[in-house]
Amino acid sequence: MIIQLCGLSGAGKTTIATSVKRKAMAYGTPIEIIDGDNYREFLCKDLGFSKADRCENIRRLGFVASRLSGHGIICIISAINPYRTMREELTNAYEQVKTVFVDCPVAELVQRDTKGLYKRAMLPDNHPDKLRNLTGVNDPFEAPLSPDLHLKTNEKTVAACTNELFNFIQASIQTQTRRYQAVTV
């Protein structure tokens, strides 16, 4: 199974993914996090932040997830993944891809601003440190129309979101198991 977490920077994707992985380990459920920020340092360091580069980044992350998923590891892709077409491309390219929208309003994210990105994006246009391609501020984010799971991190705690995602994964595993058993009987 591949879980594609999508949402704006600072919404809590990596925090939730890490928490879910920790919880899953206690249950013996193998999970690997494919974090967009980490993979940009190595596998995708040749990519910028144009639409074409963002799409290629997601394709690469999806490919890595598909290889691991094929060996029974649940993969959580934690990336902004701003375009509906790319999320749909991943869903259509691989089996058992689920979309989870980690949602938080920009106003809340500006207050959190864990990486200082929103402050930089809101600098005057002529400022040398202005960030010109922050998704949700001066670059588009196309919210999923019907995600498999919608987590609102401004309304729920990390623990509540972790439990929701973990329970969603467990329910999906059970559904897959029943389908497999029905086919093999």
Side-chain angles (χ1 to χ4, degrees), residues 156-169:
K156 296 179 182 177
T157 64
V158 170
C161 291
T162 297
N163 288 334
E164 250 186 273
L165 180 54
F166 180 76
N167 292 337
F168 173 79
I169 291 169

Side-chain angles (χ1 to χ4, degrees), residues 26 49 60 64 79 84 156 182:
F49 291 93
R60 291 179 189 181
V64 170
R84 283 187 198 113
K156 296 179 182 177

Side-chain angles (χ1 to χ4, degrees), residues 45-66:
K45 66 182 173 183
D46 60 318
L47 300 174
F49 291 93
S50 67
K51 184 174 184 176
D53 282 355
R54 288 176 189 261
C55 290
E56 179 58 26
N57 182 53
I58 295 302
R59 281 185 193 101
R60 291 179 189 181
L61 300 181
F63 178 78
V64 170
S66 75

